[in-house]
Amino acid sequence: MSGSNGTDESPHEHDDARTENVGSTAESAREAEGASAPTERFEAVDPHREVTEPQAGSATDQKADVEAPQPEAAESPEASGAVEPQVDEPKTEDTAAPQAPAEVRAESAEQTAPTSTEQAAPTGADEPPTEHVHPSEAPTAVIPVVAPGNRAPDGSSAATDRLLRSQGEQDPAQPGPAQSGPEEPGAPVPPTSTAMPSAAHPPQGDQPTQQMQAGPPPQGPPPVTPPPTGGPGGSGGDGDEPGRSGSNLPRRTIALVVGGVVALLAVFYVADLALSSGKVPRGVTVAGVEIGGMSLDAAEAELTEQLTPRLGMPVDVTAGDTQGQIVPSEAGIGIDWPATLDQVGSQPLNPFTRLASFFGNDEVGVVSTRDEVALSAAIEKAAAAAAHEPREGNIVFEDGTPVPVTPQPGQQLDVAVAGDVFAERWPYGDVSLPVESVDVTVTREGLDRALAEVAVPAVAQDLVVRGLDGAVGVLPRDAVGAVLSFVPDGSGGLEPQYNTEAAIGILAPQLAPSETEPKDARIVLDGGRPTIVPSETGEMVDWPVTLEKLPDLLKEEGDRSTDAVYKKAEPELTTEGAEKLGIKEVVSEFTTSGFEYASGVNIRLAAQEIDGAIVKPGETFSFNDYTGPRGAAEGYVESGIIEAGRPGKAVGGGISQLATTLYNATYFAGMEDVEHTEHSYYISRYPAAREATIYDGAIDLKFRNPFDTGVLIQTIGTSSDITVRIWGTKTVDVQSVTGNRTNFTSPNTITLPAGSACIPSSGAQGFTVTDTRIVTDARTGAQISNTTRTVRYDPVPIVKCISPEPEPRDEPSGGGDDATSGGADSEDAPAPAPESPAAEAPAAGGPEKE
């Protein structure tokens, strides 16, 4: 910093004593810039004493002061009554040459010699007692000044280096300056200063550390505190707080500037608010349409023009991994213009909000109207397209090769939220509907593990099962897929499942020649008496035991073969069981006749199927189940049926006569009626209210054996009649009582074109009749049951088969109409046909085979 100590322009304003090189232009410029000012000496002024201001001396006086005799030893600060402030400076190693230059020795001598303005402090007995005073009240301390030319190459002064060395070598227990060497002639004398920095203004910039020396008060003028400078190396502040850096501007100037800025902003705010009053706030957009700064009418017109067409445009809709389109207007979506403009809002009063509107947009969106029914229908359609079930990881076999099925999560649309999302987001042209993921349980690692450890080894080679008598069963490797499958194990993997039934289906036919089938005991009628044919025990492969080790066998790397395990197979009806059935006598029989040839063929075929059937105690017999299908493949032929309430023909017709015969035989044997159906109209060769019809797969005849003994069915067929006998043990007697016919009804007439499809009929009356079955104990005669059944028969329609009239022919000229008189119709009309014995109808009017 400069050597100025005040601003009063007194002659003592620049009273520094400088060496010859101080006045150089370069050094003066450096001082003016405040960059590397030389070390100056300041004197601390005691505010409690008066100091006379000396007149400025001549250069000769200054030189005399410099050449004044030096004391042998400088007194310590404590001896002089001054407190030396401690300056923390880094120690610099002594790198000086053995013989210091003359200038350095001069500076060193100057550091210890008192100046011309100083007075020697008293020593010895005249020394005043030491007083501990505040640093601000301490006497002036002398700080040596280093000329700019005495700086070290690194920018520090030689005096600073010597000062640091002297401080480093000084004994802390004996304070005081180090002894300087004798002054060498010709050494430059550094200038001194009359002031010292106070504690409030510490050294700044790159000023070297100064050694302060305490001494008696000088006889010079009182120092004047220099004003703070804001330049480099100077201290800043506003003058109120010494030592605090800051601007040199007064507070009033700063306040005026700030106030001006605030006033300018306020004017701008008021002007902007006034100009935008009644308009849409700046930066507002609706579905991407910018309307900021517009009037409300202009904004509504702009939005109407831009957004209305979007209602009829398809909107891309994404739902998880599926995509589609929905037209807003078709989904019941519209625009609520008043609500949309209301949410645009009014001009904001917050200045920060208004300022931010210059740099961004405020999207407010569209308020939509919605038809819930139409919107729900559109969302449901999208949900159906988006939903798919999760696909669990699995392994399938294709041509004997295991193929992994990669697990894939499922998804389903969140319908409850999807409607709201579409109604809100449709104006933006692309809507992502929320979906819920349906996780899978099988991981890719679990799938790979099952593939490598189970599936691949299973198809490595064939599986062989060895049976008796050299029989061999082979499960081919390409058929393993029918046996092996996988299910999730709940822990991310796949658990193998082995279908032994499928394996048996492949292996059993191959080992069948090594097996002996069991044979049931049979009861045959030999010489008119029942005879028991003994049963036979068989030997069959015990497949569950044989295939018990199937999982291990399919993992074997070597020979995959095993021996079949056989076991005894008992028949369902053993000899002892047949003997306990008590089939020893005929308990009932019934015979019908009067069928035509084709019906007789069918009746005898069905009778052979049920001949010898045994019904054990408690069992139920089914006519359709026992005979099986009755079609042309089984040898049945076309015969008469009742179809749509009139006679017709079909394969297997006429079997109802066998059903009626069996029903009556079991009726009188005391069997329990489970299911049977009468014909729709009465047929004279059957007992009224005690007959049954049958139709393959539709109408059945069932009865149950209620006794403790079994029964055997015997059928005897001839070309003209059919007989059914029931063998067993007779325990009951059965009596049938037929009631009178009542409620007669007349037939109607049906006219059909003549041909094979028309079977004429003379018709018959309908009526109602009852049948009562009375069951009594055969041994005691006690009545066991009394059951009445009422049956209503429809009238048999009169069917007329009429041939079409011949087309009229052209007559020669002069011919008369009499030649074509119409007596031919009555002649061609067939006479009423007698009742066809083959025509029988079901009760409901549907088809029925006879």
Side-chain angles (χ1 to χ4, degrees), residues 169-492:
E169 296 172 358
Q170 184 175 345
D171 187 359
Q174 299 178 358
Q179 298 294 335
S180 63
E183 181 180 0
E184 296 185 9
V189 179
T192 60
S193 176
T194 59
M196 167 188 173
S198 65
H201 295 79
Q204 300 181 6
D206 59 352
Q207 297 178 2
T209 305
Q210 302 172 347
Q211 171 133 2
M212 295 176 290
Q213 295 179 346
Q219 299 298 323
V224 179
T225 304
T229 60
S235 59
D238 58 6
D240 292 338
E241 297 183 8
R244 177 175 298 179
S245 61
S247 173
N248 289 332
L249 294 176
R251 288 186 174 181
R252 178 177 298 178
T253 302
I254 296 174
L256 289 175
V257 172
V258 173
V261 172
V262 172
L264 181 62
L265 293 175
V267 171
F268 175 79
Y269 170 80
V270 173
D272 181 61
L273 186 61
L275 292 175
S276 60
S277 177
K279 298 181 179 179
V280 176
R282 186 170 37 252
V284 171
T285 62
V286 177
V289 179
E290 297 182 0
I291 59 172
M294 296 183 179
S295 65
L296 291 178
D297 292 340
E300 183 176 2
E302 178 69 13
L303 292 177
T304 302
E305 180 182 357
Q306 296 291 335
L307 298 183
T308 301
R310 299 186 191 180
L311 289 170
M313 300 172 61
V315 175
D316 293 334
V317 175
T318 302
D321 56 8
T322 61
Q323 294 181 341
Q325 289 184 331
I326 297 178
V327 178
S329 59
E330 295 178 0
I333 296 296
I335 299 177
D336 188 343
W337 294 112
T340 300
L341 293 174
D342 285 345
Q343 74 177 6
V344 167
S346 58
Q347 290 291 331
L349 298 180
N350 189 322
F352 297 102
T353 303
R354 301 188 66 83
L355 179 62
S357 66
F358 284 98
F359 308 101
N361 293 330
D362 182 15
E363 172 62 38
V364 298
V366 174
V367 179
S368 301
T369 61
R370 47 200 287 180
D371 182 342
E372 295 296 340
V373 176
L375 180 60
S376 297
I379 296 300
E380 289 291 345
K381 184 177 180 181
H388 58 77
E389 295 296 325
R391 184 181 67 191
E392 287 287 0
N394 203 352
I395 299 174
V396 297
F397 294 87
E398 296 180 0
D399 298 330
T401 301
V403 178
V405 178
T406 304
Q408 179 180 354
Q411 70 175 24
Q412 57 185 6
L413 187 65
D414 189 348
V415 178
V417 182
D420 297 335
V421 172
F422 182 79
E424 178 182 354
R425 298 296 303 171
W426 69 267
Y428 303 97
D430 188 2
V431 180
S432 294
L433 299 180
V435 295
E436 297 176 352
S437 179
V438 182
D439 295 333
V440 294
T441 60
V442 178
T443 65
R444 181 68 193 188
E445 293 76 9
L447 176 63
D448 293 341
R449 184 168 55 254
L451 182 67
E453 297 179 1
V454 181
V456 172
V459 297
Q461 53 186 314
D462 298 339
L463 173 64
V464 177
V465 179
R466 296 185 296 266
L468 298 175
D469 301 328
V472 175
V474 178
L475 176 63
R477 55 183 300 275
D478 58 0
V480 169
V483 177
L484 176 61
S485 61
F486 296 87
V487 295
D489 62 3
S491 301

Side-chain angles (χ1 to χ4, degrees), residues 693-716:
T693 187
I694 198 78
Y695 193 82
D696 190 8
I699 302 174
D700 200 2
L701 168 64
K702 295 180 181 179
F703 65 87
R704 175 180 174 274
N705 179 8
F707 303 112
D708 296 335
T709 58
V711 295
L712 180 143
I713 301 175
Q714 181 186 13
T715 62
I716 304 171

Side-chain angles (χ1 to χ4, degrees), residues 338-685:
T340 300
L341 293 174
D342 285 345
Q343 74 177 6
V344 167
S346 58
Q347 290 291 331
L349 298 180
N350 189 322
F352 297 102
T353 303
R354 301 188 66 83
L355 179 62
S357 66
F358 284 98
F359 308 101
N361 293 330
D362 182 15
E363 172 62 38
V364 298
V366 174
V367 179
S368 301
T369 61
R370 47 200 287 180
D371 182 342
E372 295 296 340
V373 176
L375 180 60
S376 297
I379 296 300
E380 289 291 345
K381 184 177 180 181
H388 58 77
E389 295 296 325
R391 184 181 67 191
E392 287 287 0
N394 203 352
I395 299 174
V396 297
F397 294 87
E398 296 180 0
D399 298 330
T401 301
V403 178
V405 178
T406 304
Q408 179 180 354
Q411 70 175 24
Q412 57 185 6
L413 187 65
D414 189 348
V415 178
V417 182
D420 297 335
V421 172
F422 182 79
E424 178 182 354
R425 298 296 303 171
W426 69 267
Y428 303 97
D430 188 2
V431 180
S432 294
L433 299 180
V435 295
E436 297 176 352
S437 179
V438 182
D439 295 333
V440 294
T441 60
V442 178
T443 65
R444 181 68 193 188
E445 293 76 9
L447 176 63
D448 293 341
R449 184 168 55 254
L451 182 67
E453 297 179 1
V454 181
V456 172
V459 297
Q461 53 186 314
D462 298 339
L463 173 64
V464 177
V465 179
R466 296 185 296 266
L468 298 175
D469 301 328
V472 175
V474 178
L475 176 63
R477 55 183 300 275
D478 58 0
V480 169
V483 177
L484 176 61
S485 61
F486 296 87
V487 295
D489 62 3
S491 301
L494 288 173
E495 179 181 355
Q497 299 286 318
Y498 299 91
N499 188 346
T500 56
E501 294 298 327
I504 293 172
I506 296 173
L507 295 170
Q510 302 177 59
L511 294 182
S514 67
E515 296 178 310
T516 302
E517 293 283 348
K519 294 181 179 180
D520 290 341
R522 294 180 297 121
I523 302 176
V524 297
L525 299 174
D526 186 10
R529 296 183 58 86
T531 302
I532 297 176
V533 177
S535 61
E536 295 181 6
T537 301
E539 188 175 27
M540 307 292 292
V541 177
D542 189 348
W543 288 110
V545 176
T546 301
L547 298 178
E548 186 176 7
K549 298 181 180 180
L550 181 61
D552 296 332
L553 290 172
L554 292 179
K555 294 180 182 179
E556 291 288 343
E557 295 182 358
D559 181 27
R560 289 187 181 178
S561 61
T562 185
D563 294 330
V565 179
Y566 290 82
K567 67 176 182 179
K568 298 295 182 181
E570 297 295 334
E572 293 185 7
L573 181 60
T574 63
T575 303
E576 294 78 6
E579 293 174 349
K580 294 179 180 178
L581 289 178
I583 299 175
K584 58 184 179 180
E585 57 184 333
V586 175
V587 296
S588 69
E589 73 175 67
F590 197 81
T591 301
T592 61
S593 60
F595 47 78
E596 62 177 2
Y597 171 78
S599 295
V601 172
N602 294 333
I603 291 172
R604 286 188 292 271
L605 282 175
Q608 291 176 6
E609 294 290 336
I610 67 175
D611 183 44
I614 296 176
V615 184
K616 296 178 183 178
E619 284 186 347
T620 297
F621 176 88
S622 168
F623 188 96
N624 285 339
D625 291 346
Y626 211 92
T627 61
R630 300 183 294 268
E634 289 75 27
Y636 292 87
V637 297
E638 188 178 70
S639 184
I641 63 169
I642 299 299
E643 185 174 14
R646 61 186 179 83
K649 286 182 177 292
V651 174
I655 299 179
S656 290
Q657 186 154 348
L658 175 61
T660 296
T661 305
L662 177 61
Y663 172 75
N664 279 273
T666 58
Y667 176 96
F668 289 104
M671 299 294 106
E672 178 183 336
D673 180 22
V674 174
E675 177 184 338
H676 91 279
T677 304
E678 293 86 357
H679 289 82
S680 59
Y681 55 80
Y682 176 66
I683 299 174
S684 59
R685 63 181 179 272

Side-chain angles (χ1 to χ4, degrees), residues 8-329:
D8 57 356
E9 300 180 357
S10 65
H12 301 282
E13 185 174 357
H14 302 283
D15 58 351
D16 296 352
R18 302 180 182 273
T19 57
E20 293 178 358
N21 61 352
V22 171
S24 64
T25 304
E27 297 299 334
S28 299
R30 191 157 50 242
E31 278 190 343
E33 294 173 358
S36 300
T39 305
E40 299 175 349
R41 184 184 66 195
F42 294 87
E43 294 182 350
V45 179
D46 187 353
H48 299 288
R49 64 181 176 86
E50 297 180 358
V51 180
T52 60
E53 180 176 286
Q55 298 295 324
S58 64
T60 305
D61 295 337
Q62 295 177 0
K63 182 176 181 181
D65 292 340
V66 172
E67 296 176 354
Q70 302 296 329
E72 295 182 359
E75 294 182 299
S76 65
E78 289 84 351
S80 61
V83 179
E84 180 182 359
Q86 299 296 324
V87 180
D88 295 334
E89 289 289 330
K91 295 183 180 181
T92 305
E93 294 183 359
D94 190 359
T95 59
Q99 181 64 33
E103 291 181 0
V104 175
R105 290 196 301 273
E107 289 175 358
S108 177
E110 181 185 350
Q111 291 177 2
T112 58
T115 63
S116 60
T117 59
E118 295 176 343
Q119 296 181 358
T123 60
D126 298 331
E127 181 177 345
T130 303
E131 296 182 4
H132 297 281
V133 296
H134 193 272
S136 63
E137 299 178 358
T140 303
V142 179
I143 301 176
V145 178
V146 180
N150 295 332
R151 293 184 174 274
D154 61 353
S156 64
S157 67
T160 302
D161 295 341
R162 288 194 302 274
L163 175 61
L164 295 175
R165 286 197 301 271
S166 64
Q167 289 177 344
E169 296 172 358
Q170 184 175 345
D171 187 359
Q174 299 178 358
Q179 298 294 335
S180 63
E183 181 180 0
E184 296 185 9
V189 179
T192 60
S193 176
T194 59
M196 167 188 173
S198 65
H201 295 79
Q204 300 181 6
D206 59 352
Q207 297 178 2
T209 305
Q210 302 172 347
Q211 171 133 2
M212 295 176 290
Q213 295 179 346
Q219 299 298 323
V224 179
T225 304
T229 60
S235 59
D238 58 6
D240 292 338
E241 297 183 8
R244 177 175 298 179
S245 61
S247 173
N248 289 332
L249 294 176
R251 288 186 174 181
R252 178 177 298 178
T253 302
I254 296 174
L256 289 175
V257 172
V258 173
V261 172
V262 172
L264 181 62
L265 293 175
V267 171
F268 175 79
Y269 170 80
V270 173
D272 181 61
L273 186 61
L275 292 175
S276 60
S277 177
K279 298 181 179 179
V280 176
R282 186 170 37 252
V284 171
T285 62
V286 177
V289 179
E290 297 182 0
I291 59 172
M294 296 183 179
S295 65
L296 291 178
D297 292 340
E300 183 176 2
E302 178 69 13
L303 292 177
T304 302
E305 180 182 357
Q306 296 291 335
L307 298 183
T308 301
R310 299 186 191 180
L311 289 170
M313 300 172 61
V315 175
D316 293 334
V317 175
T318 302
D321 56 8
T322 61
Q323 294 181 341
Q325 289 184 331
I326 297 178
V327 178
S329 59

